[in-house]
Amino acid sequence: MYNLSDSKDLEKMQKEEPQRFNYQAAGGFYLNLQGVALAPNEGLNVEKLARLAKVIRGLAFAAIESIKSGHPGGSSAKVEQILALLFSGVLAFDPLNPKHVGRDRVVWSAGHCTPLFHSTLALIYEALKQSGQAIDKEKLGAVLPECLARFRHCDGPSGHVESHYALADASTGASGHGFSIGLGLAMLQKSNGLGSRVFVIAGDAETEEGMSFEARNSAVAMGADNLIVTLDLNGFGIDGPISEVLAQPYLNYWFSAGWNIIEVDGHNILELAHAYKKAWQGFGNSRPTVVVAHTVKGKFYGKLEGTADSHGTPASHEDYVEIMKKLGFNIPGIEGEAIKDIKTVMASLTRDDLAYVLERLQVTTKNLKSEKELVATMSLALKSRPMIDYKQIKRPNVLPPELVFKEGEAVPIRKATEAFFKWLMGQSAFFYAGSGDLAKSILTMAAENVYGIINAKNPLGRGFRFGIAEQNMAALAMALTQDILPGGYQAMSVFATYGVFTVMMANQVRMALINNEVNPAFKGFFIMLAAHDGPETGEDGPTHQGLFWMSLFDAYPGIKVLKPLDANETIEMLFASLQKSEPVALSVMRPATPVFKRGNGAYGNFEVPPPQAAVKGAYVFKPFTDNNKSKKVLAVCGGQVLANVLAILPELEEKLDIKIIAVTSPELFVEWRTKDPQAAAAVLSDEERQYVMTLHNGWSGFLDPFILPADYEKRTLEIDRFLKSGPPKEVYELAKFDEQGIKEQIFKALK
């Protein structure tokens, strides 16, 4: 027996049972190429590439000087990585057809490295231009050397990477997002039987970001062996050494997740080329690979070389001139005239240099397979699945029975989305579904199980097991919608968590919406499922009651927040969303919500419109009675809120002439008013706005488009505080949103 509080006993155990003290880590394949004698790489001219590296650095530094803004540190550190990737013969890329469906995808997770990015494009397209090729910058997403003089100006190359450019397949800049985006693109390729690789260009400080941890775990679990990260390990973030945050040996953060690791000297092009080729081939273990390139931050950037300050600090003009001269460029160095320096740098290129660039680009172009061949490969892999995407799916004239819910019954809205997504999975080969470890609660599992969960054994699945990793879930699921497959097919996705947790994904959604905006040709359609909205998750208490989540997404351009009132409205709004193909945040309820009766006489002497009316964002559920009493328009959002209002309607009408507007999306209603003001006025006229009172079981601002600012407090019934744990009925009573509470609030506001 051992007494572990006794150091002698502990020493005794170490001698007698040493196996208890040795943990054998089980990572991926490890290979260190630093200083290894490597065979020459076919076609790789190290001397020429060394000259091209100087040219790219010269262009990058001049671009930064032109505006005295930008990121020299990471850009200069990664030059050899980019040249090796481009010219080693691994990459599949055609600069004259940069969005070819068979290309390898490139994600600049280090999206701030635009001095390097744009300078690389300038070298490529200047070589093509001097060969006699016409360069349409807009069509190709190209950059020419003279463009660099307008770097970070509205009419010049962007400050962070945007996906409409060549050699970029995501709009990036928020640190750490690129791993998840790259994983999403990699899974899209692999799950459709295609062989394209995804290269993620990253910096070491990004490993600090929580979602990068989520992505590293998921990539191994999903069998993403077509994902290759080339990582610049220079030891610095913006504020200082990464060791201040990452205290363990750096490789631990990748080895522990199970990645294959190749270490190289990041300024040795031959080592990099061999590393990329081996990473491209893979190690036969269905794991992703990271090429860890040891570099110097701010390489050749004068006094700032090897410092954290080089990250985003431009050199003084005097230091810049000295830096350029040490690189071998005898520039004019006139402050404010960087264009002359750019021309000097480009003039240093020889005909042989430009011919070499063209020669190596021919290799990357030859690596592409034809779209016809890729379509055949994909069709064979997917076999009997319907080869159509969401853009081709229309609402059937007669809905299938599983998508119709019986009026008068109480049905959780999550049952409607469960049925719809399972049905949709059977209609399209290009639909993906998953949730943040909540599939059994939010009910995405029925859809996920149609083709199974994506992993190394089931690469053609359509379900994702994200786990508790909302940020990675969102970035991955949205990224795969923002690419185009052979044949013009485009995937869509639904990713789900509780409404209260959606705010954790706000930045990922924002980045995807920016990508949609700057690259509309690749605009993606996705559904963020915000489940258990409102106070409905009562027993869990305020930590899970989704009362205010929509305030963020309601403000973002490019996404609409939808809150259907019952199961049948949910089905109609989903079909309308497919047709419109604009991203949505969809509110889903947990408890059974009344499926409202439609037609005449269900709730009184008026006709309730069919569920299709919900797709406009608002409709008249009940018109005025014209009973000569004071008019009041109740704009109601939330199925249970409407049910409570209907229960007290007879009492309200004893004193008031009530009109009820069912609100399913204020944003859609505002859009409708813009396009067809006369039709929208039939729902709510300008004259009637003086009578409006809004009722929302959450943030009142959601319904602001329906009210006038006068007497705001008297015109809004909302939940404006955190509530308590309890059954939904009790929580509604506490919030004064039960039948009695609503009645009291309405009459109080009239005084």
Side-chain angles (χ1 to χ4, degrees):
M1 296 177 66
Y2 300 105
N3 178 6
L4 297 185
S5 61
D6 187 329
S7 59
K8 292 183 179 180
D9 267 19
L10 191 62
E11 291 174 5
K12 180 182 178 183
M13 181 188 289
Q14 285 180 302
K15 291 179 181 179
E16 295 177 348
E17 301 184 57
Q19 74 279 5
R20 296 187 182 277
F21 297 84
N22 292 316
Y23 174 72
Q24 186 63 44
F29 196 95
Y30 173 75
L31 176 63
N32 190 336
L33 295 180
Q34 294 177 94
V36 173
L38 296 169
N41 188 88
E42 183 182 353
L44 201 69
N45 188 314
V46 176
E47 290 183 6
K48 279 189 171 68
L49 288 172
R51 287 201 300 275
L52 293 179
K54 287 186 177 181
V55 167
I56 287 179
R57 284 191 172 94
L59 293 175
F61 297 161
I64 294 167
E65 169 68 12
S66 72
I67 192 173
K68 300 192 184 302
S69 171
H71 298 84
S75 292
S76 188
K78 296 178 181 66
V79 171
E80 286 79 11
Q81 288 174 256
I82 300 306
L83 285 172
L85 181 58
L86 265 175
F87 297 146
S88 63
V90 170
L91 196 69
F93 168 69
D94 179 0
L96 295 176
N97 186 9
K99 301 302 181 185
H100 188 288
V101 291
R103 73 193 182 282
D104 288 328
R105 274 61 176 172
V106 180
V107 176
W108 290 73
S109 191
H112 58 280
C113 290
T114 41
L116 167 61
F117 173 64
H118 295 307
S119 297
T120 302
L121 292 183
L123 174 64
I124 290 171
Y125 286 103
E126 183 64 20
L128 288 165
K129 182 181 176 182
Q130 292 198 24
S131 72
Q133 184 70 51
I135 303 299
D136 185 330
K137 290 189 299 180
E138 295 300 319
K139 182 179 178 180
L140 297 175
V143 174
L144 291 171
E146 59 267 25
C147 301
L148 298 175
R150 296 296 295 170
F151 175 54
R152 292 171 78 92
H153 287 82
C154 288
D155 61 345
S158 60
H160 280 78
V161 173
E162 295 176 356
S163 63
H164 58 87
Y165 288 104
L167 213 62
D169 293 290
S171 299
T172 52
S175 292
H177 285 48
F179 300 122
S180 297
I181 293 170
L183 178 56
L185 295 174
M187 287 297 92
L188 180 67
Q189 293 295 312
K190 193 172 180 67
S191 66
N192 285 287
L194 300 170
S196 292
R197 267 61 172 179
V198 178
F199 291 89
V200 177
I201 299 163
D204 48 7
E206 294 183 76
T207 309
E208 300 166 1
E209 171 64 69
M211 71 179 295
S212 75
F213 172 83
E214 298 172 3
R216 292 196 299 277
N217 290 340
S218 294
V220 174
M222 293 176 184
D225 55 1
N226 61 333
L227 178 64
I228 300 168
V229 172
T230 174
L231 190 141
D232 168 24
L233 180 55
N234 60 59
F236 292 101
I238 299 175
D239 293 338
I242 62 170
S243 58
E244 294 176 341
V245 179
L246 303 175
Q248 295 298 310
Y250 184 78
L251 293 190
N252 285 6
Y253 297 94
W254 292 86
F255 189 76
S256 63
W259 282 57
N260 300 318
I261 300 172
I262 306 176
E263 280 194 271
V264 296
D265 175 349
H267 299 301
N268 185 314
I269 287 179
L270 187 58
E271 288 183 15
L272 285 160
H274 277 272
Y276 293 145
K277 283 198 170 184
K278 186 57 193 170
W280 188 93
Q281 292 170 352
F283 294 90
N285 57 8
S286 299
R287 295 170 184 250
T289 298
V290 57
V291 176
V292 178
H294 294 264
T295 66
V296 176
K297 195 175 182 89
K299 182 75 169 175
F300 298 125
Y301 202 58
K303 299 173 184 176
L304 296 176
E305 180 180 278
T307 69
D309 287 343
S310 71
H311 179 92
T313 303
S316 68
H317 179 70
E318 293 74 17
D319 287 347
Y320 157 74
V321 172
E322 185 65 23
I323 289 167
M324 295 292 275
K325 287 183 178 179
K326 284 186 177 179
L327 280 175
F329 304 118
N330 189 24
I331 60 171
I334 302 170
E335 195 161 6
E337 296 186 21
I339 185 62
K340 294 180 178 179
D341 301 344
I342 291 168
K343 290 179 178 178
T344 299
V345 173
M346 292 305 297
S348 71
L349 287 168
T350 67
R351 288 186 178 181
D352 283 348
D353 292 332
L354 294 171
Y356 179 69
V357 171
L358 294 173
E359 172 195 316
R360 299 312 294 164
L361 289 174
Q362 288 174 358
V363 175
T364 66
T365 301
K366 287 179 181 178
N367 287 338
L368 292 164
K369 295 181 179 179
S370 72
E371 183 165 12
K372 182 178 179 180
E373 182 181 357
L374 293 168
V375 169
T377 299
M378 187 170 66
S379 299
L380 181 63
L382 300 179
K383 295 179 181 175
S384 59
R385 301 186 195 184
M387 296 296 286
I388 62 174
D389 63 17
Y390 67 91
K391 291 172 284 189
Q392 301 163 274
I393 296 174
K394 311 297 182 186
R395 181 193 186 278
N397 291 330
V398 178
L399 290 176
E402 65 267 31
L403 301 185
V404 179
F405 298 88
K406 189 174 181 180
E407 294 180 0
E409 292 188 351
V411 177
I413 290 179
R414 58 182 175 152
K415 286 287 186 181
T417 52
E418 176 186 43
F420 185 87
F421 294 135
K422 181 181 179 182
W423 174 85
L424 185 60
M425 194 65 78
Q427 307 302 307
S428 171
F430 309 108
F431 173 49
Y432 296 80
S435 71
D437 198 35
L438 291 168
K440 294 177 182 177
S441 179
I442 301 173
L443 306 183
T444 56
M445 192 172 285
E448 296 169 20
N449 288 342
V450 172
Y451 296 114
I453 301 299
I454 294 176
N455 53 46
K457 294 181 179 179
N458 185 36
L460 302 179
R462 288 297 182 268
F464 285 112
R465 189 66 76 236
F466 289 110
I468 307 171
E470 287 88 353
Q471 297 180 84
N472 176 59
M473 171 176 69
L476 186 162
M478 291 182 291
L480 66 83
T481 73
Q482 296 178 314
D483 198 0
I484 296 176
L485 291 164
Y489 300 110
Q490 202 161 0
M492 68 163 285
S493 68
V494 58
F495 53 97
T497 188
Y498 290 170
V500 73
F501 300 143
T502 58
V503 294
M504 291 190 280
M505 305 186 293
N507 198 43
Q508 290 69 44
V509 172
R510 181 183 67 88
M511 292 299 297
L513 295 176
I514 290 171
N515 199 57
N516 277 354
E517 176 72 21
V518 302
N519 194 9
F522 285 73
K523 180 180 178 181
F525 171 58
F526 51 84
I527 298 172
M528 182 182 75
L529 201 60
H532 299 35
D533 188 14
E536 267 74 8
T537 316
E539 299 92 333
D540 287 330
T543 61
H544 284 58
Q545 293 163 0
L547 302 173
F548 315 111
W549 66 270
M550 71 287 295
S551 59
L552 275 172
F553 302 100
D554 195 43
Y556 283 157
I559 188 171
K560 295 290 192 299
V561 179
L562 311 184
K563 195 167 181 177
L565 276 70
D566 69 6
N568 286 332
E569 287 189 359
T570 303
I571 298 298
E572 299 297 344
M573 296 194 84
L574 283 166
F575 273 118
S577 296
L578 289 180
Q579 189 72 32
K580 193 173 183 181
S581 300
E582 181 182 40
V584 298
L586 179 65
S587 164
V588 177
M589 307 300 176
R590 182 185 72 162
T593 304
V595 179
F596 294 108
K597 299 174 184 177
R598 309 287 168 167
N600 195 25
Y603 301 101
N605 190 24
F606 58 90
E607 185 169 351
V608 179
Q612 290 94 321
V615 304
K616 298 294 187 181
Y619 64 94
V620 178
F621 192 94
K622 176 200 174 295
F624 282 125
T625 307
D626 293 327
N627 57 11
N628 296 319
K629 297 176 183 177
S630 297
K631 294 182 181 293
K632 182 59 65 177
V633 178
L634 302 181
V636 180
C637 188
Q640 187 58 54
V641 180
L642 179 56
N644 291 345
V645 168
L646 292 174
I648 60 172
L649 183 59
E651 296 177 73
L652 296 177
E653 290 198 304
E654 289 178 4
K655 298 182 178 181
L656 301 166
D657 187 359
I658 296 291
K659 176 179 179 178
I660 299 175
I661 298 176
V663 181
T664 57
S665 174
E667 293 170 289
L668 286 178
F669 181 69
V670 170
E671 187 175 79
W672 186 31
R673 284 192 61 178
T674 302
K675 294 179 179 178
D676 192 349
Q678 187 173 356
V683 174
L684 180 64
S685 67
D686 289 342
E687 181 185 358
E688 291 173 335
R689 286 165 66 84
Q690 62 184 306
Y691 306 125
V692 172
M693 175 180 287
T694 61
L695 292 83
H696 181 219
N697 53 351
W699 172 58
S700 66
F702 189 55
L703 299 183
D704 276 358
F706 292 87
I707 63 172
L708 293 172
D711 297 325
Y712 187 87
E713 294 78 7
K714 292 185 178 182
R715 293 179 177 273
T716 59
L717 271 62
E718 64 172 326
I719 300 176
D720 59 0
R721 68 187 191 280
F722 298 114
L723 302 173
K724 297 181 180 180
S725 298
K729 186 176 185 299
E730 289 184 15
V731 176
Y732 265 85
E733 290 174 359
L734 177 66
K736 296 189 180 299
F737 256 77
D738 62 328
E739 298 165 10
Q740 184 65 26
I742 289 174
K743 183 175 66 175
E744 290 177 359
Q745 289 193 78
I746 290 174
F747 286 140
K748 181 180 178 182
L750 296 175
K751 293 179 180 179

